[in-house]
Amino acid sequence: MPANSAFPIFDGHNDALLSLHLPNRGGGRSFFVRDERGHLDLPRAREGGFAGGLFAIFVPDRRMRDGPSDDDVLLTDTGYEVRAALRISTSYAQRMAIAMAARLFRLEAESAGALKVARTAGEVGECLRQGVLAAVLHFEGAEAIDRDLDALHVFYAAGLRSLGIVWSRPNAFGHGVPFKYPHSPDTGPGLTGAGRELVRACNRHGILLDLSHLNERGFWDVARLSDAPLVASHSAAHALCPMTRNLTDKQLDAIGRSDGIVGVVFEVTAVRADSHNDVDTPLDDIVRHIDYIAQRIGIDHVGFGSDFDGATMPRALGDAAGLPRLLDALRRHGYDAAALRKLTHENWLRVLRRTWRA
Ligand SMILES: [Zn+2]
């Protein structure tokens, strides 16, 4: 049994599928064998009480897939300027997305009931009660969605329940924030016309819209258009770490008003005040963001959004098996059992239920 089985953790973001898919990231590891590489596999999930989460499908550009070549991407004041060779075509993105979705469905089939691709909040809750790992199919960036939204219908039918309109790069629907510190998230224009159509279509399907990686104008476009709770699956507070990926107080307030949630990311560059990529980052730096957001918009609107397998974790946490140490740090800061239940899963479940309407 996991060490904290009273507090099964539902987590807003991991890149395990990408890590398993790309030889230069996961090194051919198996999700079912405990490994020291990466942050998340089934044995470590069970050790740490990681009970489920959004499993991201992220389409890497050629540079990320094959390793960097010369300066493929230029940072500009308004975002990434992507060299033509790195533009991601819809057909390439769809091939990648299908391959990675197939990987998730194969994991489910091979897991002998230990992992389930969850499509309703009822299924997620049941998985948490039964100790079955609940994987929600999520796209981090909509590059695999065509402008006619045919692929949205097909992927929804396959199980897609969550979509980030952009990663930190522009696409047909909107503009992601480049990674900059210190800098405002107001880095460029809002959603395109196609992006606004995508928001409406996601609302109709009940697909969760993830605002992490979206720039500020895009954020406000979604806030204005969407009828669902606002969700940032893996972000932190800009007031404590002023990097582009983090949420300003006004953004946090809007998430609170919408009955939404911030999954606080564990990535060291997003939680440290100095944004240094330093593994010797205390767990208290994560706790400070949880404290800040809970005090500003209420404990009902905070959860976890680790970014396991996608970012540098504090050494004190290590990987998914280290989650009980984060819960211990929260207890030392005065979080009682009721608060921990909200942070670990109750808040996420409420938002999923409201968004998916099932
Ligand atoms: Zn991300």
Side-chain angles (χ1 to χ4, degrees):
M1 287 296 284
N4 285 279
S5 55
F7 307 106
I9 291 165
F10 187 89
D11 179 69
H13 189 85
N14 75 74
D15 284 305
L17 294 175
L18 185 69
S19 167
L20 295 167
H21 194 69
L22 292 187
N24 62 5
R25 301 220 3 188
R29 68 192 173 99
S30 161
F31 192 71
F32 300 113
V33 178
R34 197 187 198 291
D35 209 306
E36 296 304 316
R37 293 170 293 178
H39 302 130
L40 183 61
D41 49 46
L42 186 62
R44 283 183 286 181
R46 286 181 162 162
E47 261 179 75
F50 181 105
L54 305 187
F55 278 61
I57 287 182
F58 170 78
V59 176
D61 63 36
R62 179 179 51 69
R63 175 188 51 119
M64 297 168 183
R65 194 190 56 195
D66 304 333
S69 60
D70 305 335
D71 49 345
D72 285 325
V73 176
L74 297 170
L75 266 181
T76 70
D77 279 345
T78 54
Y80 278 134
E81 184 179 298
V82 182
R83 293 263 167 95
L86 291 185
R87 291 218 178 92
I88 291 174
S89 71
T90 307
S91 59
Y92 161 73
Q94 288 181 349
R95 280 202 311 279
M96 281 295 295
I98 288 169
M100 289 174 67
R103 185 168 288 271
L104 178 61
F105 293 128
R106 285 197 189 99
L107 286 181
E108 181 183 38
E110 292 162 3
S111 75
L115 182 152
K116 179 178 170 59
V117 180
R119 292 167 171 82
T120 67
E123 287 179 357
V124 173
E126 190 58 26
C127 284
L128 266 48
R129 279 187 291 280
Q130 303 288 334
V132 173
L133 187 65
V136 173
L137 185 56
H138 165 79
F139 279 4
E140 186 173 29
E143 282 82 1
I145 307 295
D146 55 282
R147 284 166 190 263
D148 291 333
L149 306 183
D150 292 343
L152 188 75
H153 288 259
V154 172
F155 281 114
Y156 176 78
L160 182 71
R161 291 295 178 274
S162 176
L163 172 76
I165 296 171
V166 288
W167 184 67
S168 283
R169 61 191 175 198
N171 66 21
F173 304 100
H175 299 261
V177 284
F179 297 90
K180 281 188 171 186
Y181 170 97
H183 204 283
S184 150
D186 186 10
T187 57
L191 299 185
T192 65
R196 294 192 291 275
E197 283 306 312
L198 182 60
V199 170
R200 295 186 189 99
C202 285
N203 279 175
R204 283 196 298 276
H205 283 296
I207 295 174
L208 184 150
L209 282 157
D210 177 17
L211 300 162
S212 288
H213 291 280
L214 190 57
N215 67 8
E216 189 172 358
R217 284 180 228 182
F219 177 101
W220 293 119
D221 283 343
V222 175
R224 188 166 42 79
L225 288 168
S226 176
D227 60 17
L230 300 177
V231 175
S233 69
H234 59 303
S235 294
H238 197 271
L240 302 184
C241 170
M243 64 107 77
T244 43
R245 279 257 293 109
N246 285 341
L247 300 155
T248 66
D249 287 348
K250 280 186 172 172
Q251 290 177 302
L252 290 174
D253 294 345
I255 290 171
R257 279 196 305 274
S258 77
D259 198 26
I261 189 168
V262 179
V264 170
V265 71
F266 306 161
E267 174 172 21
V268 297
T269 60
V271 296
R272 290 176 65 94
D274 62 11
S275 196
H276 287 174
N277 192 16
D278 182 353
V279 294
D280 289 316
T281 296
L283 292 180
D284 283 359
D285 275 11
I286 299 172
V287 175
R288 281 189 316 126
H289 286 265
I290 293 170
D291 279 345
Y292 183 88
I293 298 169
Q295 278 164 23
R296 183 153 187 109
I297 61 173
I299 185 80
D300 290 343
H301 307 294
V302 198
F304 297 157
S306 67
D307 212 349
F308 284 139
D309 285 335
T312 305
M313 294 292 126
R315 198 196 305 276
L317 182 73
D319 54 25
L323 283 165
R325 291 194 286 278
L326 177 60
L327 299 197
D328 288 342
L330 287 162
R331 285 190 191 92
R332 284 196 300 276
H333 282 257
Y335 289 82
D336 61 11
L340 289 179
R341 276 195 297 275
K342 290 183 179 200
L343 289 177
T344 54
H345 61 280
E346 286 179 354
N347 292 341
W348 266 115
L349 273 173
R350 180 194 77 246
V351 170
L352 298 181
R353 205 177 302 116
R354 276 205 53 185
T355 306
W356 295 346
R357 306 185 292 266

